[in-house]
Amino acid sequence: MRVTSPTLMVVSLVLAAVTASANGRFPQAQHLVAGPGARDDLVLVRATFGLMLSDDGGQRFRFLCEDAWEFLDGFDPAVIVGSRGTMLVGLQNGLTRSRDGCAPSRDVDLDGHYVSDLAANPAGTVLLAAAMPPGARRARVARSVNGGERFEVLPFVFDDVELTTVEVGDPEGATLYASGAVGDGRAPALWRSDDGGLHWTRTAARFAAGEEVFIAGVHPTRPRVVWVRASREGDAGLGGTTLLRSDDGGERF
């Protein structure tokens, strides 16, 4: 005799919920990155439960667990794909990479640094990483010119700055942008480099106190045209985001 009771139904639902949320957060896709150039067959999706990789243009996906890439549940890493199909994941203490999604390895040049953002030119040949050593607001930008196989930490130091985003502004990687927060007051700011990251200048643009500024994109053929998202928390945790455009390299929006 089959008996179905409300109690049994509730227990089943609870067990199902526990199994589904074992990762700790609601399963949700957050960010999608398509491979550049000849590697447009690669699609990498960051989700709340790990990474999903497709090597057939999104027809099928396989799961890449967080532990293998060395980031923990609750941390949403920056992800990017280079021209050689190298997948890179920014960590709170370094950078991991893999060509096939298996057995990722660490980048020795960025080991121990908090990699807050990764960016690439459309061809995936020039890659940037925003890097900060632990316990210090002395950010630097690392650059790769071989599709992410190796990074060089550039000498320029953003003193008393926490970098949030970086972006490549032109195909050759001469014009670069970075955004972040300055000092204890966390004043939002934008920087530009016109020599591939050797020197950086804070632009004349000023943003409202309490805003967070994220580089949204750069025009594909006009590197002085840049968009940023200015986000701000409002009452009861409800905030808004403004999309701003500059036609002069971030000096005015």
Side-chain angles (χ1 to χ4, degrees):
M1 179 178 177
R2 182 177 179 180
V3 178
T4 302
S5 71
T7 302
L8 289 174
M9 291 176 67
V10 169
V11 170
S12 298
L13 289 172
V14 169
L15 289 176
V18 169
T19 302
S21 62
N23 181 271
R25 291 192 292 172
F26 185 82
Q28 181 178 3
Q30 299 173 311
H31 185 53
L32 182 148
V33 175
R39 295 317 315 264
D40 62 0
D41 57 324
L42 289 178
V43 181
L44 184 62
V45 177
R46 187 189 73 204
T48 54
F49 51 87
L51 302 174
M52 303 293 292
L53 174 66
S54 171
D55 56 9
D56 58 6
Q59 299 298 316
R60 301 176 184 82
F61 283 86
R62 57 189 171 99
F63 173 66
L64 309 176
C65 73
E66 301 151 316
D67 290 346
W69 289 83
E70 301 186 37
F71 67 95
L72 302 176
D73 178 31
F75 176 67
D76 300 320
V79 296
I80 201 77
V81 178
S83 58
R84 301 180 182 181
T86 303
M87 291 157 284
L88 299 109
V89 174
L91 307 174
Q92 291 170 304
N93 62 353
L95 178 78
T96 48
R97 66 161 64 85
S98 173
R99 280 215 185 175
D100 58 5
C102 299
S105 61
R106 277 184 167 265
D107 182 276
V108 296
D109 299 304
L110 294 174
D111 200 36
H113 287 69
Y114 171 39
V115 178
S116 59
D117 194 31
L118 294 166
N121 65 344
T125 53
V126 179
L127 281 78
L128 299 179
M132 288 169 284
R137 285 190 301 217
R138 292 177 57 82
R140 296 168 79 177
V141 172
R143 177 185 173 109
S144 170
V145 293
N146 58 5
E149 296 294 317
R150 188 71 186 267
F151 278 86
E152 174 194 5
V153 181
L154 300 177
F156 186 90
V157 176
F158 296 80
D159 196 26
D160 202 21
V161 170
E162 294 181 20
L163 289 183
T164 52
T165 57
V166 288
E167 192 61 69
V168 184
D170 66 282
E172 292 74 30
T175 301
L176 310 176
Y177 292 94
S179 71
V182 182
D184 292 333
R186 295 189 56 79
L190 182 74
W191 292 263
R192 187 184 71 249
S193 171
D194 296 315
D195 59 6
L198 295 179
H199 303 89
W200 293 80
T201 302
R202 182 175 176 179
T203 69
R206 294 295 179 263
F207 305 93
E211 285 186 326
E212 290 188 290
V213 175
F214 307 93
I215 304 166
V218 183
H219 195 284
T221 60
R222 298 166 57 194
R224 294 284 175 169
V225 179
V226 57
W227 290 266
V228 303
R229 293 182 294 113
S231 299
R232 188 174 192 176
E233 273 198 22
D235 296 335
L238 300 175
T241 297
T242 304
L243 181 63
L244 305 172
R245 169 179 168 143
S246 172
D247 294 319
D248 59 3
E251 299 296 332
R252 295 178 299 275
F253 283 89

